[in-house]
C-alpha cells in the first residue's frame, strides 16, 4: 500500500495519521515520497515536531475544529471544496488509506463519512491493508477486475444501507436475487464473506448500498 501516494496528484494527511506518515518517510528515506500538500484536523493527535517539520516544507496546515464532524469528514470537505483551486477531471477519485484501530465506533464513523459524500462527483474509496470499500448508488454497476486478483478468491460483501433492498448479482460465489430480503433485522440477509469468481461482477440494486472487497495490492 506504500506505493499509492506516489501515484496521487494531491496528497492530504489527517491529524495523527501524519505521525505515521512521518515515521514511514523517515524509515524509507530512499523512496523520495513527496510531502503532503495539506494537513487537516483538530490537531489533538499530531506531534508538534511533526507538524513543524511539514509546515517548514511548505505544507498547508488547516485546523478544522468543528467537533460535530470527524477529522476524516472535515478533510474531505476541505479536499473537495475547491478552495485550493483544484479541479477534478473525469476519472479522478479520492483514495483514503486508513488502518482500522479496532474501535467499532470509528468504523461506523468512516462509513457515515462515505454516505455524506455519496452525491459527490468524485468517488471516494476507503482502503485498508485488508479491504477496500465504497458507496454505490441504486442502479446497475459493473466492476472489472484483473484475472490474477480473481484467482486469489477474494472475499466481498454487499451491505444494504437504506432498509430492505433488492439485489441481483452475477460473478459471485453466492449470487443475490430479487427474491431475497437484504436488510438488517430478524429476517434480513446480509451478504458477507461472499467470494468473487469472475473478472466482471455485475450488480443491480433498488437502493444504495456499500460494496466491500479484499484489497488488491
Amino acid at each position: 500500500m506504500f506505493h499509492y501516494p506516489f501515484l496521487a496528484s494531491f496528497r492530504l494527511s489527517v491529524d495523527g495519521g501524519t505521525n505515521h506518515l512521518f515515521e514511514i518517510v523517515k524509515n524509507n528515506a530512499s523512496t523520495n515520497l513527496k510531502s503532503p500538500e495539506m494537513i487537516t484536523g483538530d490537531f489533538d493527535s499530531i506531534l508538534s515536531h511533526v507538524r513543524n517539520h511539514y509546515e517548514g516544507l511548505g505544507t498547508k496546515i488547516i485546523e478544522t475544529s468543528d467537533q460535530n464532524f470527524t477529522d476524516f469528514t472535515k478533510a474531505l470537505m476541505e479536499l473537495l471544496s475547491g478552495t485550493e483551486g483544484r479541479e477534478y477531471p473525469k476519472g479522478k477519485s479520492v483514495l483514503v488509506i486508513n488502518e482500522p484501530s479496532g474501535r467499532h465506533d470509528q468504523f461506523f464513523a468512516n462509513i457515515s463519512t462515505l454516505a455524506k459524500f455519496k452525491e459527490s462527483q468524485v468517488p471516494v474509496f476507503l482502503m485498508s491493508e485488508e479491504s477496500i470499500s465504497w458507496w454505490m448508488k441504486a442502479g446497475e454497476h459493473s466492476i472489472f477486475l484483473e484475472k490474477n486478483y480473481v484467482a486469489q478468491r477474494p472475499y466481498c460483501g454487499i451491505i444494504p444501507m437504506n432498509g430492505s433492498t433488492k439485489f441481483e448479482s452475477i460473478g459471485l460465489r453466492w449470487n443475490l436475487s430479487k427474491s431475497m430480503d437484504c436488510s438488517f433485522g430478524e429476517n434480513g440477509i446480509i451478504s458477507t464473506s461472499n467470494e468473487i469468481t469472475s473478472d466482471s461482477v455485475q450488480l443491480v440494486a433498488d437502493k444504495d448500498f456499500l460494496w466491500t472487497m479484499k484489497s488488491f495490492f
Side-chain angles (χ1 to χ4, degrees):
M1 192 158 57
F2 179 69
H3 69 279
Y4 282 104
F6 287 98
L7 307 177
S9 59
F10 190 90
R11 286 155 292 274
L12 185 154
S13 182
V14 179
D15 205 354
T18 314
N19 300 330
H20 300 289
L21 176 63
F22 179 83
E23 290 299 321
I24 290 172
V25 173
K26 184 174 72 172
N27 296 326
N28 297 272
S30 62
T31 60
N32 295 317
L33 180 64
K34 291 183 179 179
S35 300
E37 283 80 4
M38 183 188 296
I39 298 172
T40 66
D42 58 13
F43 300 141
D44 63 344
S45 302
I46 190 172
L47 299 174
S48 58
H49 73 277
V50 172
R51 175 174 174 168
N52 293 338
H53 169 77
Y54 285 112
E55 197 165 18
L57 294 176
T59 296
K60 186 166 187 176
I61 309 295
I62 299 179
E63 184 169 357
T64 54
S65 57
D66 189 343
Q67 295 302 303
N68 289 323
F69 299 100
T70 66
D71 281 342
F72 175 26
T73 298
K74 292 180 287 187
L76 285 180
M77 289 176 175
E78 290 293 334
L79 183 65
L80 300 177
S81 67
T83 56
E84 299 302 306
R86 294 181 301 281
E87 295 182 358
Y88 291 88
K90 185 178 180 180
K92 288 290 186 180
S93 59
V94 175
L95 177 64
V96 181
I97 298 176
N98 167 263
E99 282 304 322
S101 66
R103 285 177 49 179
H104 291 178
D105 62 328
Q106 292 183 346
F107 166 78
F108 284 108
N110 288 341
I111 302 306
S112 175
T113 297
L114 293 182
K116 285 179 172 64
F117 290 89
K118 64 182 180 180
E119 303 296 341
S120 171
Q121 297 300 308
V122 182
V124 179
F125 299 89
L126 184 63
M127 188 175 192
S128 69
E129 187 174 357
E130 290 293 331
S131 304
I132 181 167
S133 307
W134 64 94
W135 192 277
M136 284 192 167
K137 302 282 287 180
E140 300 181 7
H141 299 273
S142 298
I143 303 172
F144 300 104
L145 303 162
E146 297 288 342
K147 291 184 182 297
N148 58 357
Y149 170 80
V150 176
Q152 301 173 35
R153 301 176 63 182
Y155 64 81
C156 66
I158 304 172
I159 315 300
M161 302 302 293
N162 193 21
S164 181
T165 306
K166 300 299 182 184
F167 290 101
E168 288 183 288
S169 68
I170 300 174
L172 306 180
R173 184 176 180 183
W174 294 283
N175 282 306
L176 301 178
S177 69
K178 289 183 177 179
S179 63
M180 299 175 177
D181 173 24
C182 294
S183 65
F184 290 92
E186 184 177 356
N187 299 312
I189 295 173
I190 304 295
S191 179
T192 60
S193 299
N194 209 326
E195 186 178 305
I196 297 171
T197 58
S198 171
D199 59 357
S200 175
V201 176
Q202 308 297 316
L203 299 168
V204 180
D206 66 349
K207 294 179 182 177
D208 289 8
F209 64 100
L210 185 77
W211 168 262
T212 184
M213 66 183 191
K214 177 179 172 60
S215 287
F216 42 76
F217 65 92

